[in-house]
Amino acid sequence: MSIGLLKKSFLIYKPIFFWNILVSILTSYLFVLKGFAMTDLYSLSLFIKFTGWVSSIGIYFMFYRSTAYFFKNQGMGFRSILRNIILYDWIIFSMILFFIFLCQNFL
Amino acid sequence: MPELFIDSVNHWFGEREILSSVYINCKIGEVTGLLGRNGCGKSTLLKIIFGSIKPNFKYLNINDKVYKKGYQSKNLSYLPQEDLVPDQIKVSIAIDLLCPKNRAALLKIDLISKYLNTKFHELSGGERRFIECLLMIYSDNQYVLLDEPFSQLSPLFVEELKSHINQVKISKGFIITDHYYKSILGISDRIVLLHNRCNYAIKNEGELVLHGYLPGFTA
């Protein structure tokens, strides 16, 4: 996990980052709607987040063929990029959730 | 002495054996030319060294360290036959990512300074290939694999590329393959021919005729 790798990944995989942030905001919105109290909403939000990740892996594969040598020339393989994309998304998702719960009373 | 070598390479495509106990090496300060007919496994061998293809067996050693995939050494650059840099990347960004230490040297090249803020998809095929070749030649890594660097290039660009390789080879090792065999013969310190799934050290052009790479052999 490094900021350098994040910058390099972001250059090429902007759509994946934006897609994941959109899904994270939607998921967090469902949590705000008392997702924890309503099991079905809670399950739905987690399902949406999981589907978002599956879609982002699909988008990643679409880009991967044309970018594999570019990244490998920088010493980065398929797994390290995918691992980092999901890791950073998890961090962003946690931050959005934390921020929303912090400000829940004001929303 | 720092060296890249790959030994005992065996690779099969289905039932067909492509490479059998192939060995190739490359030392710093040296250009190794790799020749062979179409389909003999030149590109496959380079991809195996880089780590894009997993062979049935190989032993890869870079600077006295064994690697499963060459790119994991972070000391190996590879120019594939297809486009290297994604379309939406600007030339300046590609330089920052692939050859930050040699940025100053690259900026002295006219074509690079002219297209510094241009995205790769806006370049012509030849210009794109030329710039991608330069990015690999001036990359920060010690070893460079070039797969058909001269294809699509005008004679002027070919000569310029050769002079750049000669300039930087003091601190780098190159393995180059191309069908412009005269360019390869001119620039290489050693020639290796892939033929009948094996590697042969070539000493002169006559041996290329003898091994059936060049026409003219009569039994």
Side-chain angles (χ1 to χ4, degrees), chain A residues 8 11-13 63 66-78, chain B residues 47 50 52 71 74 77-78 80 82 84 86 88-89 93 97-98 136 141:
Chain A
K8 287 172 186 175
L11 263 176
I12 310 290
Y13 299 114
F63 281 88
S66 60
T67 58
Y69 289 120
F70 181 67
F71 280 111
K72 281 182 177 172
N73 267 300
Q74 298 167 62
M76 296 187 291
F78 169 77
Chain B
K47 284 178 184 173
F50 190 62
S52 301
Y71 74 85
K74 298 190 177 178
S77 296
Y78 169 62
E82 55 264 45
L84 168 71
Q88 70 272 31
I89 298 281
I93 292 170
L97 292 173
L98 295 168
M136 291 295 94
N141 301 329

Side-chain angles (χ1 to χ4, degrees), chain B residues 109-120:
Chain B
I109 301 166
D110 290 342
L111 201 77
I112 295 274
S113 51
K114 183 180 168 189
Y115 289 123
L116 208 54
N117 289 312
T118 308
K119 291 180 177 174
F120 272 84

Side-chain angles (χ1 to χ4, degrees), chain B residues 18 26 46 52 56 69-70 72 77 90 98 106 108 116-118 122 124 136 159 164 167 191 195 210 213 216:
Chain B
I18 302 291
C26 173
L46 294 189
S52 301
N56 296 75
K69 295 175 177 180
Q72 289 173 341
S77 296
K90 283 182 180 177
L98 295 168
L106 274 167
K108 286 179 189 163
L116 208 54
N117 289 312
T118 308
E122 294 164 348
S124 75
M136 291 295 94
E159 289 308 311
H164 285 294
Q167 275 175 42
I191 296 290
H195 180 57
L210 192 71
Y213 177 70

Side-chain angles (χ1 to χ4, degrees), chain A residues 6-85:
Chain A
L6 175 65
K7 278 183 189 170
K8 287 172 186 175
S9 310
F10 188 74
L11 263 176
I12 310 290
Y13 299 114
K14 273 180 217 158
I16 297 182
F17 280 98
F18 287 129
W19 165 253
N20 279 327
I21 288 171
L22 276 177
V23 174
S24 295
I25 290 170
L26 176 65
T27 309
S28 309
Y29 179 69
L30 290 174
F31 269 86
V32 171
L33 292 177
K34 296 181 179 170
F36 278 122
M38 301 167 75
T39 322
D40 48 349
L41 258 183
Y42 180 49
S43 310
L44 178 66
S45 60
L46 285 180
F47 175 74
I48 287 171
K49 188 63 197 151
F50 179 72
T51 312
W53 272 335
V54 172
S55 313
S56 60
I57 290 169
I59 301 169
Y60 176 64
F61 265 112
M62 279 164 52
F63 281 88
Y64 181 70
R65 276 192 181 178
S66 60
T67 58
Y69 289 120
F70 181 67
F71 280 111
K72 281 182 177 172
N73 267 300
Q74 298 167 62
M76 296 187 291
F78 169 77
R79 283 182 193 164
S80 64
I81 297 171
L82 193 59
R83 196 170 48 232
N84 272 271
I85 285 178

Side-chain angles (χ1 to χ4, degrees), chain B residues 6-7 17 23 29 36 46-47 67 69 105 108 115 126 146 151 160-161 166 179 189 194:
Chain B
I6 188 162
D7 196 6
E17 189 179 31
Y23 170 87
L46 294 189
K47 284 178 184 173
Y67 290 96
K69 295 175 177 180
K108 286 179 189 163
Y115 289 123
L146 301 175
S151 59
E160 201 176 330
L161 268 191
N166 277 323
H179 288 296
D189 300 295
L194 274 184

